Each structure stands twice: as C-alpha cells, then as structure tokens.
Amino acid sequence: MKNLKFTFSTFLDKSKKQDDNLAVTPLREDVAIGVVSDGDSRCSDGSIASKVCTIILLSFVENALKKIGISDTTNYYDILSKAKRSADKFLQNLAAALSAHDEVKIQRLFKRLKMTDNELNLSRRRIGEAMQEGKDLTFDATALAFVLVPFGFTHYCLYYLGAGDSYGLQVKNSDNPERINQIEFQGVKYPTIEIREIYQASNNVSVVSNRSQKFDNPNLGSKIVEVGDILLFASDGVEFYHESNQFVYNGYTFQKYLMEYGTGAGFAERWHEHQRNAAGIYDDFALVSLHIKRKPSRPRKTVKS
C-alpha cells in the first residue's frame, strides 16, 4: 500500500498470574498479524495454552500466508480457523504426552514453545500438582487473533478470530483532518472520537483448548479500517468498559485519555501506567495498539532553469 502505513505498540505485564501473552508480526510494510491471549487460571496450566496461541497459532497464520499469498482471494477466515485448530491439536498432543509420561515427546513439544526457564519451571510445577491430585489435564486460554491487510488503495481490512473474553476496539478517525465534528477540551478543539466494538465475547465459551470438541465455536469477523483509526486488542486485565459510546475506566473516559496523551510507540505502556495509577492492576495485562496513518508525502524536487 503506497500511501498508508501503520505503527504499533505493545505492553505485557505478567506479574500477577503469569498467564497472559501477546505477539505482533509485521509480515511486510503493509501487512500485520498478531494475537493477544490469556490463560485460564482454573485449568491445569493456562500459561501453556496462552503460550501456544502466540507461538503455534500465530506461526500457522504466518506460514499459511507465505504459502498461499496475500491477495483479494485469500480466505483469511479459513486460515484463522485452521490456526486455532492447530493450537487445539498441539495442546491435545501435549496433554497426551504428559499423561503417558512420554518425556521425549514432552521435551520436543515444550521446545517448540520457546519457553524461558522460569516459564518452564512454573508450568511443570502446575502440571505436576494437577497430576498428583488425579485430575484430567486441561489447557484453556482466551485469544483474539488478527490479520491486517490492504483493502483497495486507501483502506485496510482487519480479519479477526475471537475466542473467549478478550477485547477488540476500533477508535474511528482519531486524527483525520477531514473530520469536521469537534469537541472542546481545556480550550482546545479536537475531532470527535467514535469508538466501535470489534469483539467482546465474555459469554462465548469458545477458547483455545485441548478439549476443542467442547470449545470449538470461535467468533470470526472483519472490519474496514481507515486513516486515523486506532485498533486495540486486549486481554480482560486491561479493563475497558463500554458506556454511552465511550470506554470508561474509574471515571476517566478513554476519549479524554487520547486527547491528553495521544497515540504512538509508547501508547500501550502509557495506558498500563494510567490503569496502574488509577486503581491498581489485579490481573495480567496484555495490550496491542495499531495506529493507521498516512505516509508523509515526499517533497518534490525542483528543477533549476
């Protein structure tokens, strides 16, 4: 896409339950894929399921797009659905290997997840405790995976797969100079910000899980994205609430926050700081922010006569 670009920022805080994860991969200048995931603390080990979302699910999408190609005929819904099933299958294989005490297969599967020593030790401990109690091994995580691709010459199209209670928001026309409706804040006029809900499914039982036969009904959808839009993908620990077309957190409107701080490379980290200062953070925090911008035009060369 010649005249548009996107910038993104991410922030991950795993200090509470250590079961959130995120990943964003720019496949080329105008294409991005990503996922935000949150492990279920009630299962044997949600951190494993969450990690599978960022490694197995996302790598499936990346490899499929490299093989099939990115075009108007690409079936992104099919790719995302198959990616979820590949993550489910991985978790099924891991649960089977652990139950059979097949250490060779266990080591091979864990190696694919590129886990740190701390992550591996935590998972081993959680899994060991579940097995000692005689429970069936369960690995469940919510996920919001997306593919952002060019749509025509002036827009993007966002394709997404939602499983569980993650959040997706679209902040419309945040810095579009063509927007004529304005509001005033502290003596300065700003474009009116419209916030649309991309995805929120707290009652949707679909999750990434080794019990996929029970949890295999993900939500698939798409949205058209234009210059000035901000896309937010978050785990439930980020705490966005929808009230009267604004997302409010402890009395602060999201619109006011954008006015005061804007967006940019550090947006996700600033929102984390804002939330921490407002009321503390009681869960892991995973936030991805994508901002659609117009490329600056190159100055024309002048020819001296």
Side-chain angles (χ1 to χ4, degrees):
M1 185 173 290
K2 295 181 179 180
N3 61 338
L4 294 183
K5 66 176 183 178
F6 61 84
T7 60
F8 70 91
S9 65
T10 65
F11 195 81
L12 178 64
D13 178 0
K14 299 174 66 171
S15 62
K16 306 303 177 184
K17 298 179 181 178
Q18 301 183 18
D19 57 10
D20 276 21
N21 277 289
L22 61 80
V24 178
T25 303
L27 296 184
R28 62 187 203 204
E29 186 182 30
D30 58 353
V31 176
I33 61 175
V35 64
V36 171
S37 58
D38 182 5
D40 189 338
S41 59
R42 297 166 296 183
C43 68
S44 301
D45 185 16
S47 65
I48 284 287
S50 178
K51 192 78 171 179
V52 165
C53 293
T54 57
I55 300 295
I56 306 301
L57 189 155
L58 202 62
S59 65
F60 184 99
V61 175
E62 182 175 359
N63 292 333
L65 290 177
K66 287 180 178 178
K67 181 179 179 180
I68 298 171
I70 299 167
S71 69
D72 294 340
T73 60
T74 302
N75 190 336
Y76 297 101
Y77 298 129
D78 184 60
I79 291 173
L80 286 167
S81 295
K82 289 179 178 177
K84 180 191 178 299
R85 288 196 290 273
S86 74
D88 293 338
K89 185 65 176 177
F90 183 94
L91 290 171
Q92 291 170 15
N93 291 337
L94 180 60
L98 288 163
S99 298
H101 302 284
D102 186 343
E103 195 60 33
V104 173
K105 190 173 183 179
I106 293 169
Q107 293 288 350
R108 177 170 57 83
L109 292 172
F110 273 134
K111 186 176 181 179
R112 286 191 63 189
L113 297 181
K114 304 174 184 178
M115 300 174 71
T116 65
D117 290 341
N118 287 339
E119 289 174 334
L120 186 57
N121 291 336
L122 176 62
S123 292
R124 286 285 203 174
R125 178 173 58 81
R126 287 173 171 173
I127 293 168
E129 290 172 354
M131 294 181 74
Q132 284 180 358
E133 294 174 2
K135 297 179 179 178
D136 291 335
L137 292 178
T138 56
F139 303 103
D140 304 332
T142 66
L144 181 53
F146 63 87
V147 181
L148 184 68
V149 295
F151 182 76
F153 295 99
T154 58
H155 293 76
Y156 280 98
C157 189
L158 173 76
Y159 297 90
Y160 66 86
L161 176 146
D165 59 353
S166 300
Y167 294 84
L169 311 180
Q170 181 182 18
V171 185
K172 293 292 298 175
N173 299 311
S174 62
D175 57 2
N176 191 335
E178 299 173 359
R179 188 81 168 184
I180 58 173
N181 296 324
Q182 294 184 326
I183 60 173
E184 188 169 316
F185 174 70
Q186 294 183 349
V188 180
K189 290 185 176 181
Y190 295 87
T192 301
I193 296 174
E194 177 187 356
I195 301 178
R196 299 178 183 177
E197 197 168 80
I198 297 174
Y199 171 78
Q200 180 182 355
S202 57
N203 295 322
N204 188 337
V205 297
S206 175
V207 293
V208 176
S209 171
N210 63 309
R211 300 173 289 166
S212 59
Q213 68 279 5
K214 183 178 179 181
F215 298 121
D216 194 20
N217 57 332
N219 187 311
L220 295 163
S222 61
K223 292 283 184 181
I224 300 301
V225 183
E226 60 183 344
V227 173
D229 287 0
I230 302 169
L231 303 175
L232 302 171
F233 309 95
S235 64
D236 59 359
V238 174
E239 303 285 0
F240 286 124
Y241 295 104
H242 186 224
E243 294 181 10
S244 302
N245 203 36
Q246 290 179 332
F247 284 77
V248 183
Y249 180 68
N250 278 12
Y252 293 89
T253 67
F254 186 64
Q255 178 162 319
K256 179 181 176 182
Y257 178 83
L258 286 176
M259 290 176 183
E260 291 178 319
Y261 300 105
T263 63
F267 172 80
E269 184 172 0
R270 285 198 303 271
W271 183 255
H272 175 268
E273 184 71 9
H274 161 75
Q275 181 184 352
R276 186 177 66 81
N277 292 337
I281 296 175
Y282 305 100
D283 195 1
D284 287 351
F285 178 108
L287 175 61
V288 172
S289 168
L290 282 156
H291 193 180
I292 309 303
K293 297 183 177 181
R294 195 182 303 277
K295 288 183 180 178
S297 57
R298 294 181 180 179
R300 294 182 178 179
K301 293 182 179 180
T302 56
V303 180
K304 295 182 180 180
S305 58

